[in-house]
Amino acid sequence: MSGAAPPFSVEYLEGPLVEPMPDEFSPSSVRRAIVLLAAVIVVVAVVVAMLPGLGSLREAFSGARPELLALAAVLEVGSCLSYVLAFRGVFCQRMRWLTSYEIGTAELAANSLLSVGGAGGLALGAWILRRGGVPASQIARRTVAFFLITSCANVLALIVAGIGLGTGVLHGAPSAAYGFIPAGVAVAGIVL
């Protein structure tokens, strides 16, 4: 068998096989973004420490461990970037990275400012995409899929916490129904 030809052949393809890294992620751009982020963190820390009327906020942070605050900040940035990746994957993989980032973070900002269960950000994203020429039917289908994808973590956390409270593994519920009912509603929502 040593002289037999393999049952397959290798062909070399011309051109890049993957999309090149966008200019926004070049080392100099990343360094500038990190310096800007550090400056914003310093300004926020100074404002919280110096402005009168923020005493209760200072008291809330007085016992905080800096390494846990830094970890929370890194996890939040990772969560925001994951949202942008999911947005790009659902709506348009050929969209420029910067455009995906701008629309995704605009949606996140709208969700923070408009407390309507995430619908404000989705509405803003749909409006931007529609103005960009994406057909309304495609926006509608993909917005529903995107909402379900981005809500899965919350719904799964509700199920796990509800079962934990209902079974007594987690403490805090006066009765098992306080855990099992929300978990059951979450399971029904996923099934639907």
Side-chain angles (χ1 to χ4, degrees), residues 110-158:
N111 286 337
S112 297
L113 294 174
L114 308 171
S115 182
V116 287
L122 292 175
L124 175 64
W127 178 76
I128 293 169
L129 291 169
R130 187 70 189 118
R131 297 240 353 194
V134 178
S137 61
Q138 180 179 353
I139 294 171
R141 282 191 313 275
R142 292 183 182 214
T143 298
V144 170
F146 185 63
F147 183 73
L148 292 174
I149 290 168
T150 56
S151 299
C152 280
N154 296 335
V155 174
L156 292 175
L158 178 61

Side-chain angles (χ1 to χ4, degrees), residues 162-178:
I163 291 172
L165 287 171
T167 59
V169 172
L170 298 175
H171 303 288
S175 111
Y178 283 94

Side-chain angles (χ1 to χ4, degrees), residues 14-168:
E14 297 294 322
L17 296 178
V18 294
E19 180 180 348
M21 186 64 76
D23 293 336
E24 293 85 15
F25 293 113
S26 70
S28 61
S29 294
V30 171
R31 273 193 300 275
R32 276 193 304 272
I34 290 172
V35 168
L36 179 63
L37 178 63
V40 168
I41 290 170
V42 167
V43 167
V44 168
V46 168
V47 166
V48 169
M50 303 297 279
L51 279 180
L54 296 178
S56 62
L57 183 61
R58 285 189 289 272
E59 287 175 23
F61 281 103
S62 66
R65 293 174 35 196
E67 64 273 9
L68 292 180
L69 290 176
L71 176 63
V74 167
L75 291 174
E76 184 60 30
V77 169
S79 173
C80 293
L81 293 176
S82 296
Y83 187 93
V84 171
L85 288 173
F87 175 84
R88 180 179 167 84
V90 169
F91 286 101
C92 186
Q93 295 176 0
R94 293 181 306 233
M95 187 182 297
R96 291 182 52 226
W97 278 100
L98 181 60
T99 304
S100 299
Y101 175 80
E102 289 172 341
I103 296 172
T105 54
E107 284 189 6
L108 287 171
N111 286 337
S112 297
L113 294 174
L114 308 171
S115 182
V116 287
L122 292 175
L124 175 64
W127 178 76
I128 293 169
L129 291 169
R130 187 70 189 118
R131 297 240 353 194
V134 178
S137 61
Q138 180 179 353
I139 294 171
R141 282 191 313 275
R142 292 183 182 214
T143 298
V144 170
F146 185 63
F147 183 73
L148 292 174
I149 290 168
T150 56
S151 299
C152 280
N154 296 335
V155 174
L156 292 175
L158 178 61
I159 292 169
V160 170
I163 291 172
L165 287 171
T167 59

